[in-house]
């Protein structure tokens, strides 16, 4: 095999790689959507049925006026 043959093989390989990259670029939204959905299905956690909760009744009259009570904070830890 001579230099011309290696050059032709190199050009054909380069064209093939560029073609694959171009197809991936034009379909990048579909590729990202496929990856995201497959990861979501893999990480899915099955939950049990909904249950009703009986909450305690609060006081009929507030313990202190609104201005005298400390603020209520709700902190949600990150996963």
């Amino acid at each position: 095999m001579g230099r011309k043959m290696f050059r032709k093989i190199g050009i054909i390989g380069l064209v093939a790689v560029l073609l694959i990259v171009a197809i991936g670029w034009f379909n990048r939204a579909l590729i990202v959507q496929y990856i995201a959905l497959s990861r979501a299905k893999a990480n899915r956690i099955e939950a049990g049925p909904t249950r009703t909760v009986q909450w305690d009744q609060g006081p009929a009259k507030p313990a202190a006026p609104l201005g005298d009570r400390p603020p209520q904070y709700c902190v949600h830890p990150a996963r």
Side-chain angles (χ1 to χ4, degrees):
M1 290 211 223
R3 289 183 88 135
K4 288 186 178 185
M5 187 63 153
F6 281 123
R7 187 173 176 167
K8 284 182 183 179
I9 291 173
I11 291 173
I12 290 172
L14 181 64
V15 168
V17 168
L18 289 175
L19 182 64
I20 291 170
V21 169
I23 290 171
W25 178 258
F26 288 114
N27 291 314
R28 66 187 181 274
L30 293 174
I31 293 169
V32 169
Q33 181 182 13
Y34 174 77
I35 292 170
L37 289 176
S38 64
R39 287 186 56 123
K41 286 179 185 175
N43 294 332
R44 185 182 175 112
I45 298 172
E46 293 296 328
T50 304
R51 297 183 294 178
T52 57
V53 177
Q54 294 293 334
W55 296 98
D56 293 334
Q57 183 66 34
K61 184 177 175 187
L66 186 60
D68 294 340
R69 291 184 279 176
Q72 295 180 358
Y73 294 105
C74 183
V75 177
H76 296 276
R79 253 180 132 189

